[in-house]
Amino acid sequence: MAGNEKKSGNKTRWWTTIRQTYQIARRSDPKIGWILAAIFLGILVVFVVGALLLPVGTITKVLVIVLGVSVALLATSFVFGRRAERAAYSEIAGQTGAAAAVLDSMRGTWFTTPAVAVTKNEDLIHMVIGRPGVILVGEGAPSRIKHLMANQRKKTERWVPDTPITEIYVGDGDGEVPLPKLQRTLGKMPKVLRPAEVTEVRRRVYLRVDVERPRVVLRLVRRVVLLRVVIGISPSSPAGVRRRRR
């Protein structure tokens, strides 16, 4: 009985996630429903017509149609995922903490600390630790973020002097990384640290970050969690906000 309730709960959450994702995508892409329907029906029609025209037996025709349904579902899911992702980025673009939400949803050995440095105008520096080393990600007005980045870099160099430190600025200007390409940019960085070294860097950095972090960060971190829900990552999932050990 309990097992059936658990399965039912999981199924509900799955459908709820699909519905919420579709609703978010539809806000910035009103034609997405028609596009997905056209892709599914177009592929299915091709397979059905092909099955009917093939000089084969009935069983083979049925198998071809079943294959068509599978291919149509796969293609529709792929297009839906890509368009929903684009819509999600559009939904959070320009909001404070958007870059941190994207960074914290990365899978693998990436550990994000949102807002390690903040200005009164809520320009932010986020810190990501991974096998490429320490990546400082700036989010805010270029005229203000440069000075904030320089100060944070000096602090980080004192904490982990032998670790590579990379600076990235999020935006659409020259030398900046657009929000949708942020994860891809980090993923292409060379891996120079071993997993054990990543753990040691995290330990040394977090001991100082917890002490020096501004109090306003608590409000910003809550906002990051909400933005991550918008881009389709549940905070309770394995890729959710990571709790640091004290």
Side-chain angles (χ1 to χ4, degrees):
M1 194 71 174
N4 291 336
E5 291 178 357
K6 185 176 180 180
K7 289 181 180 179
S8 177
N10 289 338
K11 186 174 181 180
T12 302
R13 287 196 295 270
W14 181 78
W15 281 108
T16 300
T17 301
I18 295 295
R19 186 177 69 253
Q20 290 175 345
T21 304
Y22 177 77
Q23 290 171 346
I24 292 172
R26 191 177 180 185
R27 284 201 291 265
S28 60
D29 191 0
K31 297 181 180 179
I32 187 172
W34 293 105
I35 293 172
L36 296 177
I39 292 172
F40 179 83
L41 293 176
I43 294 175
L44 183 59
V45 166
V46 170
F47 274 84
V48 170
V49 171
L52 296 176
L53 294 177
L54 286 175
V56 293
T58 302
I59 294 179
T60 303
K61 291 180 184 293
V62 171
L63 292 176
V64 171
I65 293 174
V66 171
L67 177 61
V69 172
S70 301
V71 172
L73 284 174
L74 183 62
T76 305
S77 299
F78 176 78
V79 173
F80 174 60
R82 295 300 296 269
R83 297 184 77 96
E85 181 182 31
R86 190 186 312 159
Y89 281 122
S90 175
E91 188 84 7
I92 68 174
Q95 298 190 44
T96 302
V102 172
L103 292 167
D104 205 42
S105 64
M106 294 182 66
R107 300 182 182 276
T109 54
W110 300 96
F111 305 92
T112 301
T113 303
V116 294
V118 186
T119 67
K120 63 181 180 180
N121 296 314
E122 294 190 351
D123 303 298
L124 308 173
I125 301 292
H126 311 299
M127 180 180 292
V128 183
I129 299 176
R131 296 195 61 187
V134 177
I135 302 101
L136 299 176
V137 180
E139 179 182 5
S143 58
R144 298 187 298 262
I145 202 72
K146 298 281 187 181
H147 180 68
L148 188 66
M149 178 71 80
N151 288 341
Q152 186 59 45
R153 185 184 181 99
K154 290 178 182 178
K155 290 181 181 180
T156 308
E157 287 174 343
R158 291 198 304 267
W159 302 339
V160 282
D162 300 324
T163 302
I165 300 175
T166 306
E167 299 177 11
I168 292 179
Y169 296 90
V170 177
D172 298 319
D174 293 337
E176 297 178 336
V177 177
L179 189 65
K181 296 182 179 180
L182 185 57
Q183 289 190 358
R184 194 185 316 161
T185 299
L186 267 66
K188 291 181 179 180
M189 295 176 64
K191 298 176 176 60
V192 297
L193 299 181
R194 297 189 299 272
E197 293 174 325
V198 173
T199 301
E200 177 60 20
V201 170
R202 289 176 60 205
R203 185 190 67 80
R204 292 163 63 184
V205 167
Y206 288 160
L207 286 174
R208 303 302 300 273
V209 168
D210 285 341
V211 173
E212 300 189 12
R213 236 169 153 199
R215 293 184 180 276
V216 70
V217 166
L218 294 176
R219 175 169 54 85
L220 293 172
V221 169
R222 286 195 291 269
R223 186 182 300 174
V224 168
V225 173
L226 293 175
L227 290 176
R228 292 190 64 233
V229 173
V230 173
I231 63 175
I233 306 294
S234 170
S236 61
S237 69
V241 176
R242 299 173 176 85
R243 299 182 181 274
R244 300 195 298 274
R245 294 181 179 178
R246 297 283 181 183

